[in-house]
Amino acid sequence: MRRLACLLAFGCATASPLPPLATPNPDQDRAASPGSERPPSFSPQPQAGPLLDETLPCPTLDAALTRAAEQLAQDLEHGAGPLDAQRVEQALRAQGAPYVWPRAWSLAGRNLREVLPDKLRGWLAAPQGAGQRRCGVSLRELAGGREIVVAIAVDALADLEPVPGRVRVGSWVNVGAALLVPSSDAKVVVLGPSGPPRGVPTSASDGRVRARFAADREGLWKLQVLAAVDGGPRPVLEADFVAGELPPQAPAESLENAAPGADPVSLLNRLLNAARQREGLPTLASSAELTRVAQGYAERLRAAGHIAHDLGEGDPEQRVTEAGIRYRLVGENLAHADDAGRAHRALWNSPSHRANMLDPHFDSIGIGVAADERSIWVCQLFARLSN
């Protein structure tokens, strides 16, 4: 029996990034926080104006991506560290951009306008995946003639109809999405202020996705649209909204940081089981057989340079079957991140990935990690094994 498998990846680059340039006014900065009024989430949000150069490989500007780039540039100006996946995702959600798998780039220096077209062309030269490429960019002028540029690019696989940033507790939330790539199925998963994620009744036909659920608890909610696309099921849209009011001091997610040199497989296993224990669930037993399969697939992901549940050699269920493992249920999470701590945090913050991590039906886990020069490729293979 197969359980929905999910994959996750982020790309962030920092050079000590990028299209039309928006120079923010400090009096008009929009850096929405969880406690502030949230804009509605929807896409696309077209932005008028040409790119710096018509030959740049990003045909569409998106206003929400530009606002997110402005927010991140402001953070860098105030001393924030290099961009990472969590901060980029938070900026997108705060500005009503429902895109997933963003790439972000930053550049600091003087006279950046002179070099930006070439720099942008090089950064955007990465092969485009399926969907529609969209970008946002911000140039922030600092004291002393210095500047900071932040750019964000996404390959959009779907568009979201408006979801309000705030609703009344108990009200119904309607989810409507249009897929931009072929898909055989889709579903909506929601994560409320407490408890595990849950799937909601979803209809999907002719490239349209519809779902409806009640926001029956006060606090922050996250919804995610999953679609079965080329390479396997994956998130294609996400949005946050608040039901009622947030608690005065909502506790932040507390995740253990990796010690320098910590074994990534051990850390991921420890973080996963600690999360299950906090939710009152039993820990997962480490399976040597599942670990071998997961490690082999992590190495295939690294060699391919992208993540998908089926790289042409079978999906998770087929891989487990071919390894001679007897099972009743199989699920898989995939991630590409800078390190194990960030990989766990990204998976935990994704409703569909957290659903696998907290599934009470699983009893075993195998984790594979393959490292390259700058990042790691992670495969979490969940199963309920047969006696």
Side-chain angles (χ1 to χ4, degrees), residues 65-276:
L65 293 178
T66 296
R67 293 196 302 270
E70 292 172 2
Q71 178 178 330
L72 292 169
Q74 181 185 15
D75 292 343
L76 292 174
E77 178 188 3
H78 294 157
L83 300 180
D84 62 28
Q86 185 178 31
R87 285 175 49 212
V88 174
E89 180 189 8
Q90 288 174 341
L92 263 63
R93 301 298 166 259
Q95 302 303 337
Y99 304 117
V100 297
W101 294 22
R103 292 196 301 129
W105 181 65
S106 66
L107 181 66
R110 301 176 186 275
N111 302 318
L112 296 184
R113 292 180 186 271
E114 299 177 6
V115 300
L116 273 178
D118 288 340
K119 296 284 187 180
L120 280 171
R121 187 174 293 106
W123 180 69
L124 290 169
Q128 181 172 348
Q132 299 178 6
R133 178 159 293 182
R134 298 170 186 174
C135 302
V137 63
S138 171
L139 172 66
R140 193 170 189 85
E141 298 178 355
L142 311 180
R146 287 179 56 80
E147 298 167 316
I148 291 178
V149 178
V150 172
I152 302 173
V154 299
D155 292 330
L157 300 185
D159 280 322
L160 183 68
E161 296 178 5
V163 174
R166 188 180 299 273
V167 301
R168 294 190 304 273
V169 176
S171 62
W172 289 91
V173 177
N174 295 306
V175 181
L179 296 172
L180 303 176
V181 294
S183 172
S184 60
D185 195 13
K187 68 178 296 185
V188 174
V189 178
V190 299
L191 177 63
S194 60
R198 72 176 192 270
V200 298
T202 305
S203 65
S205 63
D206 298 326
R208 308 295 300 186
V209 181
R210 298 285 179 191
R212 191 168 184 252
F213 64 94
D216 55 3
R217 284 165 287 165
E218 187 171 62
L220 182 65
W221 288 72
K222 181 187 290 286
L223 66 87
Q224 189 176 73
V225 179
L226 305 179
V229 297
D230 185 32
R234 56 158 288 184
V236 295
L237 293 167
E238 287 185 2
D240 292 348
F241 66 92
V242 174
E245 300 291 336
L246 285 175
Q249 293 181 336
E253 181 70 37
S254 177
L255 295 174
E256 186 177 353
N257 293 323
D263 174 59
V265 173
S266 298
L267 178 65
L268 286 165
N269 187 70
R270 182 154 43 92
L271 292 173
L272 170 61
N273 278 323
R276 287 177 64 90

Side-chain angles (χ1 to χ4, degrees), residues 272-290:
L272 170 61
N273 278 323
R276 287 177 64 90
Q277 287 180 312
R278 286 195 301 270
E279 297 292 331
L281 295 170
T283 59
L284 299 176
S286 181
S287 164
E289 293 177 311
L290 291 174

